[in-house]
Amino acid sequence: MELKQLTEKAIALLKGLIETQSFSTEEDKTAVLIENWFKAYEIPFKRTKNNVWATNKYFDETKPTLLLNSHHDTVKPNSKYTNDPFKAFVENGKLYGLGSNDAGGCLVSLIATFTKFYAVENLKYNLVIVASAEEENSGNNGLNSMLPIIPHIDVAIVGEPTLMNLAVAEKGLVVFDAEVDGTPSHAAHPNDNNAIYNTIEVLQWFKDFKFDKSSDALGDVKMTVTQINAGSQHNVVPGHVDLVIDVRVNDAYSNQEIADILQAQAPCTKITPRSLRLNSSSISLEHDLVKAGIAMGRETYGSPTLSDQSVLTCQSLKLGPGDSTRSHSANEFIYLAEIEEGIKIYVELLENCLKV
């Protein structure tokens, strides 16, 4: 199958995806476009809710399985767009449109790559591709819901924009709700236990606190207070202040360990994690995928941004065309050359790892 033709078809698919609204939980129409690709190439597929998936033709249960995954949902366009976010157009080599960079370019590149290898015999790994839903909102009906349905996965390539460099580790995420208590009162009367003033010391603690263990790939755990809320009217001292704390977890800690540390040490009345399931992820530098990528001249790094890697329990590599700094930006775009290069690198990488 000619790579040039596959690349042209992949770009055409991406244009269709851009022009089809697919906010998280509303991906039914883009799922149909992906189904149509598999039909056109006579590849049997299945659809579970808005997740579309397929296995290679010569799937062999005695072999390990490599997952190829990216998502077809998008965030909602921000208010700074000057282009129509649902209009796919090319200008100066850039394909503009919502979801072009995050993660449409990755998705269509992986779909093209899977199609290239679909009917190849005697691969070292089985292939499973999942075009997943609900990544942007970490929803219940995304890749996490597919893991009991698809075959057991031994390793994964998750398509997110990395400039086709190898994200060999990714930080996890825990969001905490915290409360600082005080004594409610009328603002006109003395009050030595003002919850808002009590929060000053708590905020300083969160600003200064350092987790002991760092990571070669991901550095330190990053903890940030991102929301604060208190009070209802000017003449009432509130009884408590609510805080939200965003913690980006390196691969030296589990999310449960982070929760245990904060619940034991944070000077709050209470602090509660919303979820512990979005853990950090990584892949050994000795894995065939990583060694092959390094041999091809690709750089390795640790990613601070969250993806569907967080729901996988196997080793996983984040790799894809596009630039993460463009994600969720106004007038989002991806270079056509990045998609062409992405497909070429994906194919070469798998050729180096899948062929016996």
Side-chain angles (χ1 to χ4, degrees), residues 73-352:
D73 64 316
T74 72
V75 296
K76 294 183 178 181
N78 64 58
S79 61
K80 297 297 184 179
Y81 263 85
T82 57
N83 302 331
D84 180 349
F86 300 107
K87 176 68 175 177
F89 68 96
V90 177
E91 186 175 278
N92 298 324
K94 301 175 183 178
L95 173 58
Y96 285 89
L98 181 66
S100 56
N101 180 80
D102 182 16
C106 302
L107 175 63
V108 300
S109 298
L110 283 172
I111 289 174
T113 302
F114 173 84
T115 303
K116 176 76 173 175
F117 285 93
Y118 167 71
V120 177
E121 298 186 65
N122 300 316
L123 298 177
K124 288 173 64 175
Y125 286 84
N126 298 310
L127 291 177
V128 175
I129 187 163
V130 179
S132 55
E134 297 191 20
E135 190 272 348
E136 294 290 4
N137 68 341
S138 299
N140 293 325
N141 296 313
L143 180 61
N144 54 310
S145 71
M146 297 303 298
L147 299 180
I149 296 171
I150 63 176
H152 171 79
I153 301 302
D154 296 281
V155 66
I157 296 176
V158 175
E160 290 285 340
T162 69
L163 294 171
M164 290 310 292
N165 288 315
L166 311 173
V168 296
E170 175 186 275
K171 282 189 173 179
L173 169 66
V174 191
V175 178
F176 290 88
D177 293 298
E179 185 176 302
V180 180
D181 279 354
T183 302
S185 69
H186 194 292
H189 301 307
N191 185 343
D192 294 330
N193 191 31
N194 184 316
I196 293 177
Y197 294 158
N198 293 345
T199 304
I200 296 172
E201 180 180 334
V202 175
L203 293 174
Q204 191 66 48
W205 186 90
F206 279 115
K207 181 180 178 183
D208 294 342
F209 185 84
K210 302 294 182 186
F211 291 89
D212 293 334
K213 293 185 284 188
S214 190
S215 158
D216 290 339
L218 294 171
D220 296 333
V221 174
K222 187 176 188 300
M223 181 163 62
T224 310
V225 178
T226 56
Q227 291 177 261
I228 184 168
N229 184 61
S232 58
Q233 58 191 69
H234 76 90
N235 58 349
V236 177
V237 176
H240 66 271
V241 175
D242 295 317
L243 304 176
V244 176
I245 301 97
D246 178 296
V247 184
R248 303 291 166 149
V249 184
N250 65 22
D251 53 347
Y253 293 92
S254 69
N255 287 358
Q256 183 63 60
E257 289 174 317
I258 295 294
D260 291 343
I261 290 168
L262 291 183
Q263 288 178 328
Q265 299 186 38
C268 306
T269 307
K270 62 181 179 181
I271 182 167
T272 306
R274 293 182 181 178
S275 170
L276 297 174
R277 70 182 179 90
L278 303 177
N279 281 284
S280 62
S281 53
S282 62
I283 188 170
S284 169
L285 295 179
E286 297 303 312
H287 196 282
D288 287 349
L289 285 170
V290 178
K291 291 197 293 186
I294 292 172
M296 292 165 58
R298 313 318 299 174
E299 297 179 1
T300 63
Y301 73 103
S303 173
T305 57
L306 196 71
S307 75
D308 268 337
Q309 279 185 286
S310 63
V311 304
L312 298 173
T313 56
C314 63
Q315 293 191 83
S316 57
L317 173 67
K318 186 158 68 177
L319 174 67
D323 187 337
S324 180
T325 61
R326 298 182 212 134
S327 300
H328 305 179
S329 64
N331 300 337
E332 182 182 348
F333 70 89
I334 189 168
Y335 287 98
L336 294 179
E338 290 176 325
I339 299 173
E340 294 165 2
E341 179 193 46
I343 294 173
K344 182 179 177 181
I345 290 174
Y346 277 145
V347 168
E348 184 178 348
L349 181 69
L350 294 194
E351 283 178 341
N352 291 336

